[in-house]
Amino acid sequence: MALQIPQRDERRHNLINGEWVPPRSGLYEPCINPADTREQIGQFPRSNKADAVTAIDAAHAAFPSWAATPGPERGRVIGRAWSILRSQVDLLAEALCLEEGKTIAEAKGEVLKGINLLEFYAGEGLRQHGKTLPGESRQTLTFTLRQPVGPVALITPWNFPFAIPVWKLAPALVAGCSVVLKPASLTPLTTHLIAEAFQEAGLPPGVLNVVTGPGSQVGDVIVDDPRIRAISFTGSNEIGLRLYQRAAARGVKVTAEMGGKNPVVVLDDADLDLAVEGIIQGAYGSTGQRCTATSRVVATPGILEKLTEALTARVRAIKVGDGRKQGMQMGPAVDASQLKVDLEAIAAAKRDGGRLLAGGERLAGPEHEHGFFVAPTLFDHVTPGSSLARQEVFGPVLAIQAAKDPGHALHLANDVEFGLSASLYTRDYFEAMRFVEKSEVGMVHVNQPTVGGEAQLPFGGIKSTGVGEKEMAEEGANFFTHLKTVWLDYTASKRTSSIY
Ligand code: NAP
């Protein structure tokens, strides 16, 4: 099967009950390339509440049969989708680059990550993760069973438009849930390609339904419908916490992965080159539009100056442009509104007394004039109370903070409301273990960038970043199940208190 990138004005539809159908709203929105806004990649439904209800109807009707399908068979469907998508990595990377702006290399990396996740969850069809445990009664078998919760909603952001839908969809399907998937309005294309691959892989009609459209219309209906039994959300704190409150009011499970303000702590004894490499990759990769992006560097006195100099030189040399062009290292902000957020964060950092070392403006000129390009930006002299030290930017703006000693560095690293990822560069095992134990985050790296996730490892944050079960790994699928505890007295049919 050949997946295709739509032509400029081609209309795509919603996937409801196995058919691609026009939205009841009759409305469409263009998908725009943020590197060159003259380029349009198809038109996608601007669905309304009625469209969302139709998708929920289909998921509700398809649930009993999919839930009763044996796990290995569910896993094989995911395995076939894996095989289809794996054969089209280049096309998927191009689609991702067009709709979100990542460089081709980054887009390929994201697609391969999604493909690894499909491989992992195809195998999870062979496992159920229930337990057999000893009971207090004789001749009684006691065990736990994992059962699918019901139809579920998956609501995804624009920054990883291939990997995040996959890391929610694959565990939901392998657990036996039917799905309504709402991708971000800015990046619907790769979700459509994923859905086409699942259709081709033999996923029964109605098990996966895809509706695009504004979160305020479609999202609210999905969150409030009593037939939706779990919601997996990734996105901003503002929307995520609102959604969590609404869902809690009707007692359904929620996992919400939200913002970050991830620190890299560099101690005096660190390998300087390794730290610089990791910081550049973590802060400016994907234009800083990663929940796990490095947004703060906290350094101790013996290394601060050398590190600042080395980072400044590297940041000034980053090549920014259309991610499809050879040699580009950073793409654009995803849209005008994210560009505005980036520029406002830069202005606020200057007002708060930060010293601008690199970047600090929108890029103009022939290569950049049609896209949302911001220069990779670096500040030092960033104080703990300033907005750049505390608020998520979600763009290529990095803050350097000075620490008195390793203990103070740990304090600064933890001194934010978020708790997603943190990294420490040192050669000292004591300091490394202290950081592992005391850093207030869901994921810790030592001598590695703050970014990254692996299919088989739990992913997610604490504090204001995350609510609910971790994603990916066994935990990712567990979220979509109920755990049922069973006592089975096998003497009853013999009408005796002891058969031995
Ligand atoms: P967002 O504005 O919160 O949107 C996320 C999703 O929610 C989109 O599909 C959006 O639809 C939808 N939505 C909007 N209003 C809704 C409502 N009332 N009810 C239900 N859904 C609604 O976030 P974003 O700007 O796409 O993503 C950036 C944020 O995601 C950053 O804060 C980043 O840190 C976070 N993020 C976190 C992780 C993590 O694992 N912790 C990973 C990636 C990103 P529309 O697109 O139609 O508005």
Side-chain angles (χ1 to χ4, degrees), residues 350-424:
K350 287 180 186 163
R351 274 198 308 276
D352 289 344
R355 178 171 66 162
L356 181 65
L357 299 172
E361 79 267 304
R362 181 177 185 169
L363 292 172
E367 264 195 82
H368 301 116
E369 63 187 335
H370 297 294
F372 304 115
F373 293 99
V374 61
T377 296
L378 180 66
F379 282 95
D380 72 349
H381 298 178
V382 175
T383 52
S386 65
S387 61
L388 196 59
R390 310 197 81 78
Q391 286 168 21
E392 183 183 49
V393 179
F394 220 53
V397 185
L398 178 64
I400 300 178
Q401 296 180 263
K404 293 195 238 23
D405 54 44
H408 184 222
L410 176 64
H411 167 77
L412 290 175
N414 284 339
D415 189 24
V416 288
E417 64 165 308
F418 301 107
L420 184 55
S421 176
S423 161
L424 173 73

Side-chain angles (χ1 to χ4, degrees), residues 155-159 164 167 182-186 213-216 219-220 223 233-237 239 242-243 257-260 291 392 394 420 459 465:
I155 300 178
T156 57
W158 49 261
N159 69 319
I164 294 182
W167 90 43
K182 195 211 95 59
S185 296
L186 287 173
S216 52
D220 279 353
V223 170
F233 168 89
T234 298
S236 62
N237 282 66
I239 305 289
R242 215 180 120 242
L243 177 154
E257 285 297 340
M258 300 170 283
C291 53
E392 183 183 49
F394 220 53
L420 184 55
F459 181 96
T465 295

